[in-house]
Amino acid sequence: MGIPVEVADAYRETAVKPCICKTRLLKSIHAEDGAVTVDWVVLTAAVVSLGMIVGLVIWNNSGSIAQMIASYIGSQEVVTTF
């Protein structure tokens, strides 16, 4: 009496799958097809971050300048006659 064919087939299928997964994983790690995409994502993130930093600096400094301009304009007198 031996191992039933169904059990042997199921064992072979499960025994082969980890090898296939490992092979696919290694191929995808060593593939360079997506490297350009990753580079663009990193570059885009760097540009967006730099833009946010510059915007933050400008935003913080523009508040005090806007107040100085508002006080200057508010202190001016409007001449209504010629």
Side-chain angles (χ1 to χ4, degrees):
M1 184 170 209
I3 299 174
V5 176
E6 296 86 15
V7 175
D9 289 341
Y11 176 75
R12 272 187 241 123
E13 287 179 17
T14 57
V16 172
K17 285 186 181 181
C19 295
I20 292 172
C21 292
K22 184 178 177 183
T23 305
R24 287 183 183 170
L25 179 65
L26 290 175
K27 282 183 182 179
S28 65
I29 288 173
H30 294 295
E32 295 185 10
D33 295 338
V36 174
T37 304
V38 172
D39 290 344
W40 276 107
V41 168
V42 171
L43 286 172
T44 304
V47 169
V48 169
S49 299
L50 184 62
M52 290 174 66
I53 290 170
V54 169
L56 183 65
V57 169
I58 292 172
W59 183 268
N60 287 338
N61 292 332
S62 67
S64 61
I65 294 172
Q67 287 176 350
M68 290 186 334
I69 292 171
S71 66
Y72 175 76
I73 291 174
S75 68
Q76 298 302 308
E77 187 174 316
V78 178
V79 178
T80 58
T81 60
F82 291 105

